[in-house]
Amino acid sequence: MTKNIVIIGSGIIGLSIAYLLLLESKEEVKSITLISQHFPDDKPIDHEYTSPWAGAHFRPFPHSNDNYLNDKRESNYTRISYDFFKNYLVKKHPESTVEITRGFQFFENPPKSFTECADGINGKSLEGFKILKNNDLLFKSKFGCQYFNFSLNAPKYLIFLQNQIFELSKKQSIPLFIKRMKLKSLHEVTKLFNNTDYIFNASGLGLQWDGTYDQNTYTVRGQTLLVEAPPHTKFENETHVYYGQNDHLTFVIKRPSGNNYDKPLYILGGTKEKDCFDIMPSKLATERILDDARIIFPELLINGEFKILNINVGFRPFRKGGSRVESETISNVKIIHAYGFGSMGFEVSIGAARHAIQLMSSEFSPKL
Ligand SMILES: Cc1cc2nc3c(=O)[nH]c(=O)nc-3n(C[C@H](O)[C@H](O)[C@H](O)COP(=O)(O)OP(=O)(O)OC[C@H]3O[C@@H](n4cnc5c(N)ncnc54)[C@H](O)[C@@H]3O)c2cc1C
Ligand SMILES: *[C@@H]1O[C@H](CO)[C@@H](O)[C@H](O)[C@H]1NC(C)=O
Ligand SMILES: *[C@@H]1O[C@H](CO)[C@@H](O)[C@H](O)[C@H]1NC(C)=O
Ligand SMILES: *[C@@H]1O[C@H](CO)[C@@H](O)[C@H](O)[C@H]1NC(C)=O
Ligand SMILES: *[C@@H]1O[C@H](CO)[C@@H](O)[C@H](O)[C@H]1NC(C)=O
Ligand SMILES: CC(=O)N[C@H]1CO[C@H](CO)[C@@H](O)[C@@H]1O
């Protein structure tokens, strides 16, 4: 059976699903309709649209005891994405901006899960994993580790995906419909597109059938600074995350340009604020980031100052208990949910999209 597919959401998750459907899926896709309130080439970018505000890099995490299976599933997504980035995009598509770098994490108060190398944060599944020696520890940190990593330019990567979707659908003569709208509910989709076979729900926070959003989702605000730095610092090939006192989080992630001529740009972060919905940059947060970064990452200073080009504010779409990648049938409509990825939409993107596509194939086949 050929399939008319509707994808809701044009963030990293919705675009990755469309991309992989066209690139590698064996499904017979009849058409793809992408419905979204926002798209990667919007100017200016809305703060409700999370993906373009991301770092973005790969930051592995230990599996927690109380959410072990979910963490394991999400961790698996990140390894699948890493492999795809390293073995496919880096080699075939330099314009994707994906670069492999070295990742570092430093802790002033290291959690046990890190010092004991719990599942998810050890050499078993992390290429190049190493615990740092004392004299390699940054500033006041008591523990640090390193692993191989990637960084990418989030806004440019989204545009790359969109271009690939256009190109691949054309090449394969699969009709692609792009519809910009704010859906009032998932139910509305079936009224607008009455020949829909499958709906992918990649709406970030989980738009529901009845028009509300998943009650378990919530946002965590993130403020970061886009800075220009001197050429050829170590951060060219390294991303650093520093966990200080009082939950101070300070990180630097290269923002690769995809070509060699642009200025060296970095994302300097950042905050993680629950229950804060302010789209305006907070001066206090900016100063906190700068104060910490001045001490921890002084290599980024130009003539003793940070050269700030932009202040980013985005809202990470979290979900209690973890992301939802699940199939569901409502009123005979087959839905595959893929939302609630919090602070790791880019790192899980390829693994999560593949899983969502697998569910489309496996869950809805006629059961005899
Ligand atoms: C400061 C910051 C730093 C980050 N750093 C990283 C990082 O280093 N690595 C990493 O992996 N992740 C990072 N993230 C997290 C990452 O950005 C998110 O996990 C990811 O963007 C979520 O993608 P998404 O596609 O689920 O949601 P979104 O990008 O929000 O996309 C949701 C889509 O659904 C559409 N939509 C929603 N509701 C409706 C509706 N009712 N009708 C029509 N369309 C609708 C929207 O228009 C949008 O297109 C960071 C986030 C922030 C804020
Ligand atoms: C589906 O929509 C088309 C075009 O809007 C319409 O002509 C057709 O009658 C609809 N079919 C059903 C079953 O509603
Ligand atoms: C999208 O996800 C939400 C969150 O769980 C879910 O409740 C809703 O039904 C989904 N939307 C659709 C169209 O399936
Ligand atoms: C980063 O890596 C590139 C490519 O391997 C290399 O040319 C460059 O010198 C490295 N930068 C630094 C500061 O080490
Ligand atoms: C990881 O995800 C892939 C793709 O969805 C799946 O085939 C595989 O079984 C998963 N592995 C684990 C250990 O969960
Ligand atoms: C696996 C892999 O590609 N690792 C890379 C990680 O980053 C370092 C530093 O840039 C590279 O040398 C590795 O090849």
Side-chain angles (χ1 to χ4, degrees):
M1 188 187 98
T2 56
K3 292 164 181 168
N4 291 303
I5 293 168
V6 170
I7 299 170
I8 301 167
S10 184
I12 180 61
I13 300 299
L15 291 176
S16 299
I17 291 172
Y19 176 51
L20 293 189
L21 270 173
L22 290 162
L23 184 74
E24 62 180 25
S25 161
K26 303 214 169 45
E27 293 293 336
E28 287 182 61
V29 179
K30 192 169 172 195
S31 72
I32 295 180
T33 303
L34 203 50
I35 304 177
S36 183
Q37 196 182 345
H38 308 100
F39 288 96
D41 36 16
D42 290 354
K43 283 195 184 73
I45 298 273
D46 194 324
H47 290 277
E48 265 182 45
Y49 181 30
T50 312
S51 294
W53 301 108
H57 70 157
F58 168 57
R59 191 188 314 167
F61 49 91
H63 305 176
S64 61
N65 287 334
D66 49 352
N67 208 5
Y68 187 87
L69 287 177
N70 179 70
D71 287 356
K72 188 171 165 196
R73 174 178 59 91
E74 292 180 339
S75 192
N76 183 33
Y77 296 155
T78 69
R79 304 313 194 256
I80 293 169
S81 307
Y82 175 81
D83 283 345
F84 182 83
F85 287 164
K86 183 188 153 205
N87 296 318
Y88 183 69
L89 290 184
V90 169
K91 292 181 181 152
K92 292 270 164 49
H93 290 288
E95 77 279 19
S96 68
T97 77
V98 177
E99 286 185 5
I100 300 294
T101 60
R102 223 178 274 276
F104 290 87
Q105 296 191 52
F106 301 95
F107 298 87
E108 287 191 15
N109 301 313
K112 241 183 162 176
S113 49
F114 275 82
T115 53
E116 291 176 356
C117 294
D119 284 353
I121 188 83
N122 57 47
K124 271 188 232 153
S125 65
L126 281 173
E127 244 183 329
F129 180 84
K130 259 200 281 191
I131 292 175
L132 297 176
K133 299 207 180 74
N134 280 343
N135 47 359
D136 291 329
L137 291 176
L138 216 55
F139 191 47
K140 290 185 189 161
S141 58
K142 303 277 186 309
F143 178 84
C145 58
Q146 88 167 59
Y147 42 82
F148 288 143
N149 189 318
F150 68 80
S151 58
L152 56 81
N153 182 321
K156 285 195 181 177
Y157 181 65
L158 296 168
I159 288 177
F160 160 77
L161 285 180
Q162 196 181 48
N163 289 340
Q164 287 290 306
I165 292 163
F166 287 143
E167 217 171 274
L168 290 170
S169 64
K170 216 171 179 182
K171 229 189 239 167
Q172 299 169 25
S173 305
I174 294 173
L176 174 70
F177 303 103
I178 307 279
K179 192 90 194 140
R180 182 192 293 270
M181 62 182 295
K182 183 173 170 81
L183 285 166
K184 286 188 209 73
S185 67
L186 278 178
H187 181 49
E188 203 184 356
V189 176
T190 57
K191 289 202 215 143
L192 293 167
F193 304 96
N194 64 7
N195 59 354
T196 300
D197 297 311
Y198 295 93
I199 299 175
F200 283 94
N201 182 9
S203 57
L205 290 168
L207 176 67
Q208 309 263 339
W209 187 251
D210 64 359
T212 56
Y213 283 83
D214 186 334
Q215 298 215 338
N216 288 321
T217 57
Y218 59 95
T219 58
V220 175
R221 184 179 182 277
Q223 180 170 324
T224 62
L225 313 171
L226 177 69
V227 299
E228 185 183 335
H232 306 305
T233 64
K234 67 179 176 190
F235 303 109
E236 214 166 52
N237 300 317
E238 298 180 1
T239 78
H240 284 228
V241 182
Y242 190 97
Y243 298 87
Q245 299 298 331
N246 307 320
D247 290 329
H248 282 196
L249 169 67
T250 313
F251 58 84
V252 51
I253 305 172
K254 184 181 180 181
R255 177 146 279 199
S257 65
N259 70 54
N260 297 323
Y261 307 108
D262 285 359
K263 300 168 189 152
L265 300 181
Y266 295 86
I267 293 291
L268 195 56
T271 65
K272 281 197 168 180
E273 303 153 90
K274 249 174 124 170
D275 303 317
C276 177
F277 307 97
D278 198 352
I279 64 165
M280 296 306 283
S282 140
K283 213 170 157 217
L284 214 62
T286 300
E287 278 164 14
R288 199 286 295 164
I289 295 168
L290 293 180
D291 286 347
D292 284 338
R294 199 183 299 281
I295 300 167
I296 307 168
F297 309 125
E299 299 92 333
L300 294 173
L301 294 164
I302 296 179
N303 299 328
E305 295 295 332
F306 285 106
K307 188 165 176 189
I308 301 171
L309 305 182
N310 200 17
I311 302 180
N312 297 331
V313 175
F315 298 88
R316 305 169 178 95
F318 271 89
R319 181 168 181 270
K320 282 181 206 131
S323 60
R324 183 171 183 215
V325 182
E326 266 172 24
S327 61
E328 185 178 12
T329 306
I330 306 178
S331 310
N332 284 327
V333 182
K334 302 179 183 84
I335 299 166
I336 300 106
H337 300 291
Y339 62 86
F341 291 101
S343 60
M344 49 187 179
F346 285 80
E347 25 181 328
V348 300
S349 58
I350 298 294
R354 270 199 196 141
H355 186 193
I357 293 170
Q358 267 173 15
L359 288 179
M360 176 174 83
S361 313
S362 63
E363 295 299 304
F364 298 116
S365 50
K367 296 205 168 61
L368 299 175

